[in-house]
Amino acid sequence: MLPTSDPVGLPGLAALGFGIALFAVSLLGARLRARRDAAERGGRRANTSILWIALQGLAIGLAGAGPIHIVLDPLSSASLITAAITLAIMLGAVFLFDWSSRAMGKNWALVARTRTDASLVTTGPFAYVRNPIYVALGLFMVAMAISFGHTRMLIVAMPLFAFATWMRVSLEEKLLRAEFGAAYDAYSNRVERFVPGLL
């Protein structure tokens, strides 16, 4: 059993709450942009990705699981530093998600799919990494663990998130390869999956 959570303060939880609200607005915007031409979608859909989406959600949930000990003085340096770190990570996650979903436009979907009128998106954050939205979700998970004082839970949550993400990416890459062929191969040879120049 993992040790109990670290003490936290209200500013860190407020920073997380603010970040979650921004993330929700960005997600709603992505859904609205993608729904505009829902009738034209067609294409292929990989329903198995729902399993990996659920596992990613479970991993994020695990990072926040357990009691939260709100005992730090809200104005203490530990409390304010945790809040600043949480806010910085959450703002990075929201910015990356929003930038990615805007670059994808009508191509954005929750479940892995292509459209009959799809185009291969290689601009915006996709010029640097092939899966920026999953990087954003990973940042979200880390911010939550920090603000809740559950960084130890990342020992379990991160490998599960990485596995589910890898499986989801594998499905999506098959779809993209089938749809765009050599163009996708050239893109994947040029741009890393998650971290520029590394992974």
Side-chain angles (χ1 to χ4, degrees):
M1 182 111 189
L2 291 171
T4 186
S5 60
D6 295 323
V8 297
L10 286 174
L13 297 175
L16 180 70
F18 178 68
I20 288 172
L22 289 178
F23 207 98
V25 169
S26 181
L27 179 60
L28 180 62
R31 286 189 61 85
L32 290 174
R33 282 188 297 275
R35 278 184 179 231
R36 275 187 222 146
D37 354 61
E40 298 172 20
R41 284 184 189 226
R44 298 183 185 99
R45 177 181 161 122
N47 287 325
T48 10
S49 68
I50 294 169
L51 170 63
W52 309 122
I53 291 167
L55 269 181
Q56 282 178 315
L58 176 63
I60 292 169
L62 280 173
I68 303 171
H69 299 295
I70 308 167
V71 295
L72 293 180
D73 177 345
L75 298 178
S76 69
S77 58
S79 186
L80 294 174
I81 288 169
T82 300
I85 291 169
T86 300
L87 185 61
I89 295 172
M90 282 303 292
L91 289 177
V94 171
F95 172 76
L96 190 54
F97 178 84
D98 192 63
W99 189 22
S100 303
S101 66
R102 284 178 188 279
M104 290 184 80
K106 64 185 181 180
N107 295 304
W108 184 86
L110 188 60
V111 177
R113 69 179 305 144
T114 58
R115 300 166 48 109
T116 51
D117 61 343
S119 56
L120 181 61
V121 180
T122 60
T123 58
F126 296 93
Y128 306 101
V129 291
R130 300 197 318 258
N131 299 284
I133 289 177
Y134 300 145
V135 175
L137 290 175
L139 291 172
F140 182 104
M141 179 177 67
V142 170
M144 185 170 62
I146 291 169
S147 69
F148 285 2
H150 294 168
T151 52
R152 292 174 189 92
M153 291 303 292
L154 291 173
I155 296 167
V156 176
M158 283 186 91
L160 180 59
F161 182 81
F163 171 72
T165 299
W166 187 263
M167 296 305 292
R168 197 171 170 189
V169 164
S170 298
L171 276 175
E172 290 171 1
E173 287 181 351
K174 282 179 192 167
L175 280 177
L176 291 167
R177 226 167 234 116
E179 188 74 20
F180 300 109
Y184 182 74
D185 287 336
Y187 170 63
S188 64
N189 287 335
R190 175 173 90 245
V191 178
E192 299 292 348
R193 284 185 178 96
F194 305 108
V195 182
L198 243 150
L199 175 67

